[in-house]
Amino acid sequence: MSDSNSLADRKRPPRSARATPAATVGSLAPPRRRRATGVRHGDKHTAILRTAAQLFAANGYESTSLDMIADQLGMHKATLYHYIDSKESVLYQCLVMSFGDLDDVITKTEDRSVPVLQRLRLFCRSLAMAQNSDFGRCLVLVGSRPLDQEPSGEIRKFQRRLDATVRALVTEGIADGSIKPCDPALVSAMLFGALNWVPRWYSEQGKLGIEDIVNAFIDMLTLGIATSKR
């Protein structure tokens, strides 16, 4: 997610309709369509996005069709169009939901009453948790390339905002003496490079949880950039 949006105010309002909750993505063969049951519109919209994100991550964006998404949900494609406009729209909204609490996280990183390295750890933990959700994994594995022509450039703004947050924390740490003199841009690139790779190999059945992994990464990072003052 490096070079990586405030997402909450960019969500596109869903259209109205009714259908069923998302099925878990298992095999690539879609299940038989099931009769749709009554579910609140917002829940159904989220279920569609979550199922799409799972399929994009499992099969790739180009190989996933709207028919596959509809089949996985047990709904007709015509019903699906009550909620979405296009595959690009689905991907955009998945990316929007990948780090929906970004504003709150950034606000916390600006609280100078908390040591800067502690705030950097908070940011990394929040980012890693977001990246390893269904929506975040979709963002990491698919990337923003299919939306590069998106006119407002919101995805790029999002990526740049994440990068700027890390750079600001490192710059602040250098200024207060808690971080050794270094290039904030390189620290940011190294951090995002490490965290961006986790969704590609992380398994919930593994020995380490996401917080364990992030803590280990941050410990290794701070050993390299922190002064003895920390």
Side-chain angles (χ1 to χ4, degrees):
M1 281 191 183
S2 163
D3 201 48
S4 300
N5 344 116
S6 175
L7 303 178
D9 28 348
R10 286 190 291 277
K11 292 184 181 177
R12 300 179 182 176
R15 300 178 182 177
S16 57
R18 301 169 69 85
T20 65
T24 301
V25 176
S27 65
L28 302 186
R32 285 186 178 180
R33 287 179 174 159
R34 302 176 297 278
R35 177 176 294 181
T37 57
V39 176
R40 287 187 306 170
H41 180 275
D43 292 342
K44 175 49 61 180
H45 184 249
T46 299
I48 290 171
L49 296 182
R50 188 176 303 281
T51 297
Q54 292 169 341
L55 287 170
F56 289 156
N59 305 328
Y61 176 77
E62 298 298 338
S63 299
T64 301
S65 66
L66 291 179
D67 282 332
M68 290 172 66
I69 296 171
D71 284 337
Q72 191 71 34
L73 286 156
M75 67 168 58
H76 290 283
K77 189 174 178 181
T79 304
L80 188 68
Y81 272 112
H82 282 287
Y83 297 89
I84 61 171
D85 299 315
S86 64
K87 193 166 77 165
E88 291 77 15
S89 171
V90 174
L91 179 61
Y92 177 83
Q93 292 175 71
C94 286
L95 302 188
V96 164
M97 296 186 73
S98 66
F99 204 165
D101 60 346
L102 178 60
D103 283 334
D104 291 338
V105 172
I106 289 182
T107 296
K108 290 177 181 177
T109 66
E110 294 170 346
D111 180 2
R112 296 204 173 205
S113 68
V114 178
V116 67
L117 287 172
Q118 189 173 326
R119 282 178 275 145
L120 180 60
R121 186 181 293 272
L122 166 68
F123 176 83
C124 292
R125 183 182 295 111
S126 299
L127 177 63
M129 296 301 291
Q131 284 180 320
N132 289 277
S133 68
D134 288 328
F135 298 116
R137 190 174 297 108
C138 171
L139 169 58
V140 172
L141 299 182
V142 173
S144 61
R145 186 174 304 240
L147 298 174
D148 279 349
Q149 303 307 312
E150 195 263 325
S152 65
E154 296 298 338
I155 302 301
R156 293 299 182 191
K157 291 177 186 176
F158 171 53
Q159 294 172 329
R160 286 194 294 270
R161 194 171 180 202
L162 293 178
D163 179 58
T165 300
V166 173
R167 293 192 192 203
L169 288 168
V170 174
T171 300
E172 181 188 336
I174 294 171
D176 70 18
S178 61
I179 292 178
K180 299 173 185 176
C182 58
D183 185 340
L186 289 180
V187 174
S188 179
M190 179 179 67
L191 179 61
F192 284 113
L195 292 178
N196 285 351
W197 200 252
V198 175
R200 299 176 184 274
W201 57 261
Y202 172 70
S203 168
E204 291 182 353
Q205 284 71 52
K207 294 180 180 179
L208 298 176
I210 287 299
E211 289 212 15
D212 298 320
I213 293 168
V214 173
N215 286 335
F217 280 10
I218 281 292
D219 286 344
M220 288 184 276
L221 173 68
T222 54
L223 282 174
I225 67 173
T227 63
S228 56
K229 179 180 176 180
R230 75 186 181 96

